[in-house]
Amino acid sequence: AQSVTQLDSQVPVFEEAPVELRCNYSSSVSVYLFWYVQYPNQGLQLLLKYLSGSTLVKSINGFEAEFNKSQTSFHLRKPSVHISDTAEYFCAVSSDGGATNKLIFGTGTLLAVQP
Amino acid sequence: NAGVTQTPKFQVLKTGQSMTLQCAQDMNHNSMYWYRQDPGMGLRLIYYSASEGTTDKGEVPNGYNVSRLNKREFSLRLESAAPSQTSVYFCASSRRGDSKETQYFGPGTRLLVL
């Protein structure tokens, strides 16, 4: 069975500092990996995803994540955060073989950016 | 283009009452999903519909039923609400049921069962 672990429930960081949000997964088959972001009182929206090819994927707002198969990780990074990045971030995994796109979500990491 | 819409935004129920959460998408997506979000537990899949006319159970289906009314609409029904069903409910849709597809989420329904 697949699972996703986000060890950090909350990450406080100062504005303009770098940040890394950790995500590890377990799966016996090839996986697709996603990061979704949830701003306060909103639904989730896709930040970035890894399907195949280059292991480094980037979002339009400066986040990036690297798929590391040997370490079963998909950590999210940003070199300099803004106040507007304050949100909850969810890592998710899916895999081929099922009839439907069943996403398995981690428990989320709250990124709290302080001035 | 509203994306995924959900009604109501908030609801308070008494134990044993019933209600239906409505979801609609205007993106011509084939697949739709219902999740619940609880603190410290992330999102868990309740039911999904791979295509119009089909529905199937997810991880936590007990106490819920669903109806895929047409391609646009996917409703979630609580027949006899329990306090354990206090949660935030999200509907989502994707173009296809393919594992690579992005899911698009609605704004959520906050449900309190007393």
Side-chain angles (χ1 to χ4, degrees), chain B residues 53-104:
Chain B
T54 69
T55 61
D56 211 340
K57 296 178 180 178
E59 183 184 353
V60 289
N62 291 343
Y64 305 95
N65 284 300
V66 291
S67 295
R68 183 75 183 266
L69 304 170
N70 47 57
K71 190 171 185 179
R72 290 187 64 247
E73 298 173 288
F74 188 39
S75 63
L76 179 72
R77 183 161 178 83
L78 287 69
E79 291 291 351
S80 179
S84 61
Q85 294 178 304
T86 292
S87 188
V88 182
Y89 292 85
F90 288 100
C91 178
S93 69
S94 64
R95 188 175 48 169
R96 298 188 305 265
D98 187 282
S99 300
K100 300 177 184 177
E101 290 290 326
T102 297
Q103 292 188 18
Y104 296 83

Side-chain angles (χ1 to χ4, degrees), chain A residues 32 34 36 38 41-46 49 51 88 90 94-103 105-107, chain B residues 31 33 35 37 40-43 45 48 50 57 90 94 96-108 110:
Chain A
Y32 307 115
F34 304 78
Y36 281 83
Q38 184 180 30
N41 298 314
Q42 294 185 27
L44 281 71
Q45 53 187 278
L46 181 72
K49 63 182 178 181
L51 301 180
E88 189 149 23
F90 291 92
S94 68
S95 62
D96 279 332
T100 295
N101 179 4
K102 288 187 183 180
L103 277 175
F105 284 90
T107 52
Chain B
S31 301
Y33 315 82
Y35 293 90
Q37 182 181 29
M41 301 192 72
L43 277 79
L45 183 65
Y48 63 94
K57 296 178 180 178
F90 288 100
S94 64
R96 298 188 305 265
D98 187 282
S99 300
K100 300 177 184 177
E101 290 290 326
T102 297
Q103 292 188 18
Y104 296 83
F105 287 79
R110 283 158 178 75

Side-chain angles (χ1 to χ4, degrees), chain A:
Chain A
Q2 296 173 316
S3 66
V4 177
T5 301
Q6 293 181 251
L7 285 175
D8 304 308
S9 60
Q10 188 167 349
V11 173
V13 63
F14 288 108
E15 195 173 18
E16 297 184 6
V19 71
E20 178 180 83
L21 306 184
R22 297 180 293 167
C23 172
N24 288 88
Y25 68 92
S26 66
S27 176
S28 59
V29 297
S30 295
V31 297
Y32 307 115
L33 292 156
F34 304 78
W35 276 101
Y36 281 83
V37 58
Q38 184 180 30
Y39 298 104
N41 298 314
Q42 294 185 27
L44 281 71
Q45 53 187 278
L46 181 72
L47 187 61
L48 48 76
K49 63 182 178 181
Y50 169 78
L51 301 180
S52 65
S54 173
T55 57
L56 183 66
V57 291
K58 300 184 179 185
S59 73
I60 59 173
N61 59 350
F63 283 92
E64 63 181 37
E66 184 153 23
F67 170 56
N68 188 320
K69 188 174 182 179
S70 63
Q71 299 199 2
T72 60
S73 68
F74 190 55
H75 301 330
L76 183 70
R77 302 182 180 94
K78 189 171 186 181
S80 175
V81 295
H82 301 130
I83 294 287
S84 59
D85 293 323
T86 293
E88 189 149 23
Y89 292 79
F90 291 92
C91 184
V93 63
S94 68
S95 62
D96 279 332
T100 295
N101 179 4
K102 288 187 183 180
L103 277 175
I104 306 297
F105 284 90
T107 52
T109 298
L110 178 61
L111 176 62
V113 182
Q114 304 163 23

Side-chain angles (χ1 to χ4, degrees), chain B residues 4-24:
Chain B
V4 180
T5 56
Q6 293 183 236
T7 54
K9 286 187 169 55
F10 303 96
Q11 185 71 48
V12 179
L13 290 179
K14 295 180 180 178
T15 297
Q17 287 185 318
S18 62
M19 78 162 295
T20 300
L21 282 66
Q22 306 286 354
C23 173

